[in-house]
């Protein structure tokens, strides 16, 4: 069991470098299965979800070489297996991208059902609908998703998504790249990582148009060949540091970001009294005055990201007045509210709405990181709180944040990592 022990109440100062985007990396790495040749991928975040995916790719027969800390050469040309081992894949949510990748390459995939239900129900019916429209038979048997196309290649299809789904949009896009003919995805998700996946695939020879809009057209090509690609910076990691400075106070330059991706987060923090200045590929975030209430509703991009909901909640807990937070994507993303209350927060949850009455201070307490972003929210609350906050179940946090303790300690935080010998296995929330 690993815990983070935070001595809170210290403002943050200095500069922090943002890593590559988790939710882009966890799709791009499986998508290298489509490529006949070496993919050099730069800006790969060093997080445990990525390590797991690399282990799965190796197990399938991929050759992976570390070029430097954040650069990998991945060669999947010798992969012949279409069966993904249960023990590895059940630990990660994004293993569903292996279905699109293996189906697109071989016309067949056997992938364990993705684990975890930490955010409420997480169906994958839209992924299945897309694969079926492209000529695959999809069924779930003994904990596995079994997908088989009538021939080795899928057929292009016109697919209207019933819900705006990041995962279904990316998975169908991956599967369609080597299909016969044109695939059209309507009501597609528009997150920055969708554009990033399309850019990666196009740079390897795919023909994808419209990523970033709600209609994506993919004209199937015969094959993809290797090349270079650099993953975009992580919008949510950057937003998490913005929220941390806003809650703890101080002045921090957040570097290696795409400011446009952060507009929705910047707008809310500015409404609350935080000063944010754009400086090319950095943002300078400063907070020394009081925070004021605001209302936030999470929505698919370009709306306020659901993956920033617990982090903004931590800031709202300290804002003068009553704020209303509405979750617009997941059924159950407030499991952290009880933990915040232990720290003195005044937060009431009713279904998808949380009412937060700001308090003048939070106080440290023992809390549990119930999922990845909830854990990030607890770190933020702990940094702002007086006294000691002890966070357990931090394996959730380490799935999505590279070196978060080191990065925060460089900014003047006081976080100690304490490890004891208990079993630490769990399923990813991402
Ligand atoms: N949905 C369906 N059917 C489907 C797919 C989704 O009904 O087939 C519903 C979901 O139940 C949800 C909504 O559609 O209500 C959106 O789900 P989406 O498919 O967009 O989510 P996801 O692809 O499973 C990814 C991220 C999540 C992030 C969401 C929304 C990864 C690995 N996960 O999940 O990230 O919250 O998009 O942006 O990319 C995180 O990083 O902490 C995390 C949870």
């Amino acid at each position: 069991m690993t815990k983070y022990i935070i001595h809170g109440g210290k403002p943050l100062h200095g500069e922090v470098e943002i890593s590559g985007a988790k939710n882009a990396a966890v799709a791009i790495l499986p998508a290298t299965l489509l490529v006949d040749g070496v993919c050099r991928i730069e800006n790969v975040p060093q997080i445990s979800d990525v390590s797991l995916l690399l282990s799965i790719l190796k197990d399938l027969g991929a050759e992976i070489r570390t070029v430097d800390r954040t650069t990998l050469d991945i060669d999947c040309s010798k992969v012949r297996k279409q069966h993904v081992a249960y023990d590895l894949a059940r630990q990660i949510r994004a293993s569903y991208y292996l279905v699109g990748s293996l189906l697109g390459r071989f016309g067949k995939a056997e992938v364990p059902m993705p684990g975890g239900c930490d955010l409420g129900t997480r169906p994958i019916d839209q992924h299945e609908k897309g694969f079926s429209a492209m000529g695959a038979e999809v069924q779930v048997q003994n904990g596995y998703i079994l997908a088989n196309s009538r021939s080795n290649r899928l057929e292009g299809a016109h697919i209207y998504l019933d819900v705006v789904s990041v995962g279904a949009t990316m998975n169908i896009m991956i599967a369609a790249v080597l299909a016969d003919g044109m695939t059209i995805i309507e009501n597609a998700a528009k997150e920055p990582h969708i554009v990033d996946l399309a850019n990666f695939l196009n740079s390897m020879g795919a023909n994808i148009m419209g990523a970033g809009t709600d209609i994506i057209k993919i004209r199937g090509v015969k094959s993809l060949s290797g090349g270079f690609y650099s993953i975009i910076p992580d919008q949510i990691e950057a937003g998490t540091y913005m929220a941390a400075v806003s809650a703890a106070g101080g002045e921090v330059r957040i570097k290696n970001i795409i400011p446009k991706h952060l507009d929705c987060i910047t707008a809310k923090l500015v409404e609350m009294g935080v000063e944010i200045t754009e400086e090319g590929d950095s943002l300078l975030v400063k907070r020394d005055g009081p925070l004021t209430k605001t209302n936030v509703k999470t929505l698919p991009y370009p709306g306020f990201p659901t993956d920033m909901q617990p982090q903004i909640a931590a800031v709202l807990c300290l804002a003068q007045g009553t704020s209303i937070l509405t979750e617009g994507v997941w059924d159950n993303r407030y499991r952290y509210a009880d933990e915040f209350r232990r720290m003195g927060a005044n937060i009431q949850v009713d279904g998808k709405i949380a009412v937060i009455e700001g308090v003048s201070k939070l106080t440290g307490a023992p809390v549990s990181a119930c999922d990845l972003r909830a854990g990030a929210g607890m770190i933020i609350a702990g940094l702002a709180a007086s006294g000691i906050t002890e966070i357990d179940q931090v394996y959730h946090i380490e799935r999505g944040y590279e070196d978060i303790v080191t990065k925060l300690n460089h900014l003047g935080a006081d976080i100690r990592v304490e490890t004891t010998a208990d079993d630490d296995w769990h399923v990813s929330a991402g």
Side-chain angles (χ1 to χ4, degrees), residues 10 65 72 93 97 119 165 171 197 247 276 302 304 316 320:
K10 297 177 174 56
R65 196 173 69 87
L72 297 172
R93 182 82 209 158
Y97 294 126
L119 313 176
S165 160
N171 225 348
L197 173 67
I276 301 181
F304 190 92
L316 294 173
Q320 288 170 357

Side-chain angles (χ1 to χ4, degrees), residues 22-24 26-27 49 92-97 119-128 163-170 189 191 193 236 299-301 305-307 328-331 333 352 371-373 400 428-430:
K22 163 189 170 276
N23 288 345
V26 297
D49 269 9
I92 178 166
R93 182 82 209 158
S95 55
Y96 48 40
Y97 294 126
L119 313 176
T121 50
R122 299 188 71 172
I124 54 164
D125 56 303
Q126 299 303 306
H127 305 231
E128 293 173 10
V163 290
V164 178
S165 160
V166 171
T169 302
M170 309 242 262
E191 270 65 6
H193 29 291
I236 304 302
L299 288 168
Y301 191 80
T306 173
D307 294 344
V329 177
W330 296 110
D331 290 340
R333 204 167 197 169
K352 292 193 162 195
D371 64 53
L372 167 60
R373 308 303 174 185
S428 171

